[in-house]
Amino acid sequence: MTSTNAVVTRETNRRRTFAIISHPDSGKTTLTEKLLLFGGQIEVAGAVRGRKTQRGATSDWMEIERQRGISVSSTVLSFEYGGCLLNLLDTPGHHDFSEDTFRTLVAADSAIMVIDLAKGVESQTKKLFRVCALRKIPILTFVNKVDRPGKQPLEILAEIEAELGVKCSPQNWPLGYGADFRGIVDLNTGIAHLFEERRGDRRLQGTSIPLDEVDETLVSAEALAQAREEIELLGESNQLDREEFLAATATPVFFGSALTNHGVEAFLRSFIQIAPAPGPREADVGLVPVDREDFGGFVFKIQANLDPKHRDCIAFVRVCAGRFARDMEVMHARTGKKIRLRRVHRVFGSERETVDEAFPGDIVGLVNPGEFRLGDTLCTGDPLHYAPLPAFAPEKFAAIRCTSSTRRKQFAKGMEQLLGEGAIQTFNDPNAATKEPILAAVGELQFDVVRYRLQSEYDVETALTWLPFVTARWVSGPGPLEDLRLPYASRLVFANTGHPAVLFSSDWDLKYAQETNKAYRFDATRAGDLSTNTNSTAARPL
Ligand code: G4P
């Protein structure tokens, strides 16, 4: 092994690249903030939440975030903890932005699923969990808000198992919950960690002692008896099967409160032990190891005008193999062009710093003068194409029209930019009377973002006409497309990449089409559609 390989291996092994998935309001921002606090990246609680509310002041197109009180943009937050370098891929919280979130998950090696103890498994969590499970992204579960009245801890485990079909392996157990939340018991060591707290004029000491030694002077008799009984019932379920965890069929579960900070640092300590370091990645040449002699990475996110001061476009690259160095000449696998990477940044929130080197698991931001597309591979040495990014079946459709006849060129330019970023998908209907593109996305808010950005960045006013479709399927088959027998209300269209798809106005129509065209495939997702990287044979549809 060369010394470069040894450095790459050492650096890779200490990296943990992950995302947090949750339903809005379950405490993702609060937990993120606490993780950054332990990582020394922020000094006071409130910094992230503060930024969340101030964002409108620092970024203009993100004004939409401020208006709606949601987070549209996403960045990477890196911090050191316990000898590890953690890269947190911050994903937008709103359910309408799930395509962006889905793609970000492709760049993560693990995910933290935050669940609100009172609300249990909610719709957005379910959706994101499914994406992780299908892509075999290991998931650690943090049951949050234990300081508030909620469900019984055993009930929440049963709900997670029933709703998500994943085996729960509790790693700690709350000693009391709601107003009685007094501490957590580490199920692997049997040590109870009691929090320091003030109850009225009584001050309860913080301490760590074996559960057997905890008595009623420390925890209420009722909470203690309940915790002891439940822990007995749990038996050996804290024994996490590593293989099942890596296959996303089992999840370690931690209880805590992000707001009061209880259980968060213990969770972080376990996280760096349990979450996997970056591993080999699928490509057209087979699995590519992280310690490959040469560099390899792929573009998983493109965002323009992230910072109004610069007005540029950043391509976010996930480093997957080898060492990345600034000024390095890489091959752009899709075009075969050699590119020298000079302007390389690490983007932390709204701040940027120049990156000199990076290792597998790291995310670097390249200033993108329109050169890169989603899913593009960059590499040195022998060429390779990482598995294409998956495209997701949209659920909302609308024709978009530029309402100012003098701004058509700018409209076309803006649409091209937004398509390149993967902000939205478009389809064209060759038989339609007008040539207006059909916008398609998972959620309605994405349409607002497209219109807002066209208006604020390209000075183009647009109008939408909603179309009555509920889903789209990529169609492929042995015969010509004209032979397809489709329900009256459906429409055969083509993506900007040329791939044919059918838009359906009901699930019943979709079923009918599947049954009457048995020789054809109707796929909900199509790997690679976004990247136009059709050379790759390593497509892994979701
Ligand atoms: P999100 O990013 O998942 O959308 O959730 P966020 O962290 O913004 O938290 C949503 C609300 O839940 C916030 O309250 C937050 O303070 C609260 N919260 C988060 N974690 C905990 C916890 O462990 N215990 C309790 N009791 N509350 C928690 P808010 O009233 O909406 O906002 P704020 O007034 O606190 O800023």
Side-chain angles (χ1 to χ4, degrees):
M1 192 185 271
T2 66
S3 62
T4 312
N5 277 26
V7 173
V8 170
T9 305
R10 193 186 65 222
E11 287 298 325
T12 307
N13 286 342
R14 71 182 205 95
R15 275 158 171 78
R16 303 286 181 274
T17 301
F18 66 105
I20 302 184
I21 59 172
S22 63
H23 193 84
D25 254 2
S26 37
K28 187 171 94 163
T29 312
T30 313
L31 182 66
T32 301
E33 177 169 282
K34 295 297 157 66
L35 298 181
L36 294 175
L37 205 58
F38 289 119
Q41 279 293 350
I42 54 173
E43 273 153 28
V44 285
V48 176
R49 296 196 61 77
R51 239 195 355 231
K52 200 169 165 181
T53 48
Q54 280 164 20
R55 229 182 241 160
T58 55
S59 134
D60 61 2
W61 78 261
M62 288 167 204
E63 171 74 10
I64 199 166
E65 296 181 329
R66 204 187 53 73
Q67 284 169 4
R68 294 227 180 171
I70 51 149
S71 154
V72 178
S73 59
S74 54
T75 49
V76 186
L77 307 168
S78 300
F79 57 99
E80 293 264 352
Y81 185 81
C84 284
L85 184 96
L86 290 89
N87 293 315
L88 166 54
L89 307 180
D90 187 19
T91 54
H94 196 278
H95 65 94
D96 272 353
F97 286 86
S98 25
E99 278 146 322
D100 198 26
T101 306
F102 293 158
R103 284 197 293 266
T104 298
L105 288 175
V106 177
D109 298 314
S110 61
I112 295 175
M113 174 166 74
V114 181
I115 289 181
D116 182 329
L117 179 68
K119 298 206 182 123
V121 178
E122 296 174 88
S123 58
Q124 171 78 338
T125 316
K126 260 193 212 168
K127 227 170 169 176
L128 293 167
F129 174 86
R130 228 173 292 136
V131 176
C132 290
L134 281 162
R135 299 199 71 85
K136 300 205 183 337
I137 297 169
I139 298 160
L140 294 95
T141 302
F142 186 82
V143 178
N144 193 28
K145 306 196 186 182
V146 178
D147 61 306
R148 276 223 308 229
K151 303 186 182 191
Q152 302 266 343
L154 279 175
E155 194 184 340
I156 204 94
L157 292 190
E159 184 175 329
I160 296 170
E161 296 201 339
E163 293 281 336
L164 305 177
V166 63
K167 196 158 110 191
C168 286
S169 177
Q171 301 299 298
N172 69 17
W173 203 250
L175 259 178
Y177 54 95
D180 277 341
F181 186 35
R182 264 298 276 136
I184 50 170
V185 181
D186 182 330
L187 295 179
N188 296 309
T189 60
I191 301 289
H193 302 279
L194 302 180
F195 315 131
E196 182 184 314
E197 97 184 76
R198 198 176 277 282
R199 290 252 162 105
D201 51 5
R202 244 182 98 206
R203 192 185 155 85
L204 303 170
Q205 286 296 333
T207 179
S208 292
I209 49 172
L211 178 62
D212 296 345
E213 291 171 24
V214 177
D215 62 29
E216 284 123 46
T217 61
L218 297 167
V219 177
S220 79
E222 202 186 330
L224 189 58
Q226 183 179 349
R228 284 198 169 125
E229 196 183 314
E230 287 169 341
I231 290 171
E232 195 154 322
L233 274 174
L234 293 174
E236 303 279 286
S237 60
N238 62 313
Q239 304 292 329
L240 177 69
D241 181 317
R242 182 111 190 127
E243 265 177 40
E244 288 178 351
F245 165 63
L246 294 177
T249 56
T251 178
V253 180
F254 300 81
F255 290 86
S257 162
L259 187 70
T260 62
N261 231 351
H262 293 152
V264 179
E265 191 164 18
F267 169 67
L268 184 55
R269 272 197 300 270
S270 301
F271 174 79
I272 58 172
Q273 298 293 330
I274 300 175
R281 283 248 160 191
E282 230 180 298
D284 57 344
V285 294
L287 277 182
V288 179
V290 287
D291 61 351
R292 179 180 188 255
E293 278 290 334
D294 300 295
F295 159 76
F298 68 90
V299 177
F300 69 96
K301 178 182 171 67
I302 293 182
Q303 182 134 23
N305 306 334
L306 201 56
D307 178 348
K309 285 200 297 278
H310 299 282
R311 283 258 171 233
D312 53 14
C313 184
I314 302 238
F316 290 87
V317 172
R318 149 88 198 213
V319 179
C320 299
R323 176 176 168 272
F324 173 89
R326 189 155 63 93
D327 280 338
M328 185 183 232
E329 188 177 74
V330 298
M331 188 169 87
H332 185 213
R334 180 170 50 83
T335 60
K337 261 197 349 205
K338 292 263 162 90
I339 303 176
R340 190 164 294 281
L341 300 176
R342 289 208 171 86
R343 296 166 69 197
V344 185
H345 300 284
R346 184 162 284 134
V347 183
F348 185 96
S350 57
E351 291 133 42
R352 297 175 185 192
E353 59 183 54
T354 301
V355 175
D356 291 320
E357 65 173 1
F359 295 95
D362 286 344
I363 309 298
V364 293
L366 308 178
V367 176
N368 170 24
E371 224 149 355
F372 306 121
R373 292 200 198 148
L374 280 171
D376 277 357
T377 295
L378 301 177
C379 57
T380 58
D382 291 339
L384 64 94
H385 296 267
Y386 281 106
L389 294 180
F392 298 89
E395 291 165 17
K396 301 268 181 234
F397 304 82
I400 186 164
R401 184 163 48 88
C402 168
T403 53
S404 43
S405 55
T406 55
R407 308 286 302 163
R408 292 207 195 285
K409 246 195 207 154
Q410 288 79 359
F411 172 66
K413 200 168 150 213
M415 285 300 296
E416 197 186 319
Q417 172 63 42
L418 294 170
L419 271 176
E421 282 180 33
I424 201 136
Q425 296 184 47
T426 60
F427 294 106
N428 291 301
D429 178 355
N431 298 318
T434 61
K435 291 285 167 259
E436 289 163 2
I438 299 172
L439 296 187
V442 174
E444 242 172 73
L445 199 55
Q446 257 163 299
F447 294 83
D448 286 1
V449 170
V450 166
R451 291 189 63 208
Y452 185 86
R453 290 188 57 187
L454 285 170
Q455 192 250 319
S456 62
E457 293 165 28
Y458 299 89
D459 193 19
V460 170
E461 296 292 340
T462 53
L464 291 183
T465 311
W466 292 102
L467 300 172
F469 303 112
V470 298
T471 193
R473 288 292 182 275
W474 303 103
V475 62
S476 55
L481 292 169
E482 295 79 63
D483 289 355
L484 275 172
R485 288 176 52 213
L486 296 172
Y488 177 71
S490 61
R491 221 193 275 185
L492 179 66
V493 291
F494 293 86
N496 54 315
T497 51
H499 289 122
V502 181
L503 311 185
F504 292 101
S505 47
S506 70
D507 288 340
W508 192 90
D509 275 5
L510 165 62
K511 233 166 113 191
Y512 171 85
Q514 285 168 324
E515 275 163 18
T516 38
N517 302 279
K518 288 227 156 66
Y520 288 81
R521 285 182 58 152
F522 293 87
D523 292 321
T525 61
R526 188 189 170 96
D529 177 65
L530 293 164
S531 67
T532 69
N533 171 9
T534 44
N535 299 338
S536 177
T537 52
R540 186 174 61 163
L542 277 176

